[in-house]
Amino acid sequence: MTLGESHPLLPSMRLDELLAELQNRLEAVLSTRDRVHALLEAVVLVGSDLELELMLRRIVETATTLVDASYGALGLVGEENAMVEFIPVGLTEDQIAKIEHWPHGLGLLGLLIKKPEPLRMSRISDHPESYGFPPGHPPMGSFLGVPLRVRDEVLGNLYLTEKRGGLEFDEEDEEVVAALATAAGVAIANARLYEETRRREIWLQASTEVTTCLLSGEDVDGVLAQLATRVREMADADVTVILFPTGEETLRVEYSDGVDGLVGQEVPVLGSFSGEAYLTAQPHTVNDLGGKGLRIGGDPPIGPAAAVPLGVGRSVRGVLALGRREGRMPFTPGMLRMLHGFAGQAAIALELAETRKDAERLGLLEDRDRIAKDLHDVVIQRLFAVAMTLMSTVRLVDHPEATTRLQHGIDELDETIRQIRSTIFAFQAPREGADAGLRGQITTLVAGARARLGFQPGLRMDGALDNEIPDPVADHLLAVLQEALSNVVRHAKASRADVSVKSTPDGLLTLAVEDNGVGIPLNGRRSGLRNLQDRAVRLGGSFTADRVSTGGTKITWSVPYR
């Protein structure tokens, strides 16, 4: 073949090269077209839902698909650039179980938070900021990080690692993810607004329910227990406790939900997490409660925690504290604000409920006082007048049987007057919410003797026992009554016993206990009776113990109380 004959092949070879280059460019154009279509579909997809949690996961999944990454994650940041949420994609259940905790925003993640600019590298371990991976985290090579922005606000970062096939992320991958991040930032901002609006609606509804229940007269304990449960559910916490002060130095857990065995636990006001909120009347939050050596109440393994005061200023009534287990994301500032507002509403409702109860109690006491005055000023005076009339009539009656009947009627009227006076004093005794008065303690002692005696002793009380008798004298009286009833149980073998307690206007307090038993033995031990006599002598009074002519014993213990 001559040179001239081979020369026409040269243009053909050049044409093949050009056609191959054209094919490569067409493939690149088609690939770019497909990625653009995929990107547009992704933008539409991430903006089609306002459920924040679902949207965040969808963004990460879409990003990993667009750049063919094995792993992806999205980290949202809150105030002070703290990572408040971390959504991973691509890890298996076994890999997740091996990770001790989610990243806290250190190392490369922290670098992207502090300097929100796209970051791309072939190997993560080559970067000087490559640290902070939690124990159990799988090894990763290539890395691409892109910030999520809305105008000048950085919402978080999108992290992609381990491009499949051992390849590195290129400039086009960065541009695609950056475009997706721009659309995702807008979608996240909208979803956050929607989520916050919906959450506020839920919290307002719960606040209304609590206020309605408290003001409608429902049991406060039941409402507060339900409050702890609702708050834990709405705040996605693992434990909720409500603490109230037991003095100036301690707070006690009165209600809890999520962890058993916390009710009754006490924490110091100084040095405890809940105590900080109580003393400062301000909400507090920490990312790791155990790391600061603080407690909510008891010793659950709590990491992120929040505490808000129940009340404002100097009127703080207690503390509402919440915790999440170690490794979970901390409470966001927005959540803390809602908790504070909710706790403030609950505190106001509690105060209004107590005020309503106080008003009802005051009205009841006023009614009792009015009834007591009517009994004293009207009923007793009329009965007394009738008794006086009958007494004057006795002298005019000569028939013995008629005289006896009149005298019996007078005695019955006198007994009725004494019983009405006892009722009047009972009306004036301390009621619900106050310490049990002397009448109540006497009644409790006498009622408690029924099981040991086998019958209910009779009881009669006269005079202003609750309002007039000093505490030291009342303590002696109760001790004497206790010992006297014990003597009846041990020695009397009685089938009936009567207790009488009476205070007179001239300052004398008398206790009498009478039974129908075997009576005091003539030569028996009297150590118990000597104790009763010693108590009477110590107070300047007297004591007697006599056999009753009809059988049985009557002891009389009388002391001055003024």
Side-chain angles (χ1 to χ4, degrees), residues 210-277:
V210 170
T211 303
T212 302
C213 290
L214 287 172
L215 296 184
S216 63
E218 291 193 21
D219 179 56
V220 174
D221 290 337
V223 175
L224 290 179
Q226 185 64 24
L227 170 66
T229 302
R230 288 292 303 275
V231 168
R232 185 184 64 80
E233 293 171 350
M234 291 186 297
D236 191 24
D238 295 308
V239 58
T240 302
V241 295
I242 301 177
L243 306 97
F244 290 103
T246 58
E248 295 183 357
E249 298 181 353
T250 57
L251 295 170
R252 177 184 296 153
V253 177
E254 300 292 349
Y255 310 92
S256 74
D257 189 75
V259 175
D260 296 330
L262 292 183
V263 174
Q265 296 274 359
E266 293 187 353
V267 297
V269 172
L270 296 176
S272 70
F273 181 60
S274 303
E276 288 184 12

Side-chain angles (χ1 to χ4, degrees), residues 132-165:
F133 286 94
H137 198 286
M140 295 180 178
S142 54
F143 176 85
L144 173 60
V146 177
L148 300 170
R149 294 176 179 270
V150 174
R151 293 176 292 277
D152 295 331
E153 180 184 3
V154 178
L155 303 179
N157 291 285
L158 189 57
Y159 311 106
L160 301 162
T161 62
E162 207 61 20
K163 189 176 177 70
R164 290 187 175 88

Side-chain angles (χ1 to χ4, degrees), residues 414-427 429 431 436-447 456-467 469 477-478 481 498-504 508-512:
D414 186 51
E415 176 64 22
T416 301
I417 290 172
R418 281 196 294 268
Q419 290 181 359
I420 293 176
R421 281 177 175 166
S422 179
T423 301
I424 291 172
F425 289 127
F427 273 144
R431 307 309 301 172
L438 182 56
R439 284 175 174 270
Q441 296 178 71
I442 292 171
T443 303
T444 300
L445 277 178
V446 173
Q456 178 63 50
L459 176 61
R460 173 176 168 180
M461 292 183 285
D462 294 317
L465 299 177
D466 287 319
N467 301 326
I469 309 303
L477 173 72
L478 293 172
L481 176 59
D498 294 299
V499 176
S500 173
V501 183
K502 179 180 180 181
S503 67
T504 60
L508 188 66
L509 176 65
T510 302
L511 166 66

Side-chain angles (χ1 to χ4, degrees), residues 309-385:
L310 289 170
V312 295
R314 296 183 178 180
S315 62
V316 175
R317 308 170 62 86
V319 176
L320 172 64
L322 302 89
R324 291 172 176 166
R325 64 178 182 272
E326 293 177 349
R328 293 192 62 192
M329 287 296 167
F331 295 95
T332 64
M335 176 67 71
L336 192 64
R337 286 192 294 270
M338 277 187 284
L339 278 171
H340 193 199
F342 181 76
Q345 291 286 345
I348 293 173
L350 277 174
E351 190 160 344
L352 290 174
E354 289 188 2
T355 302
R356 179 185 56 78
K357 284 191 174 182
D358 289 341
E360 291 177 353
R361 189 178 297 114
L362 180 60
L364 177 62
L365 292 176
E366 288 176 347
D367 287 341
R368 288 178 177 272
D369 188 57
R370 177 181 55 78
I371 294 171
K373 286 181 178 179
D374 289 343
L375 288 173
H376 182 272
D377 297 342
V378 180
V379 178
I380 286 182
Q381 297 304 322
R382 289 188 176 182
L383 290 175
F384 185 74

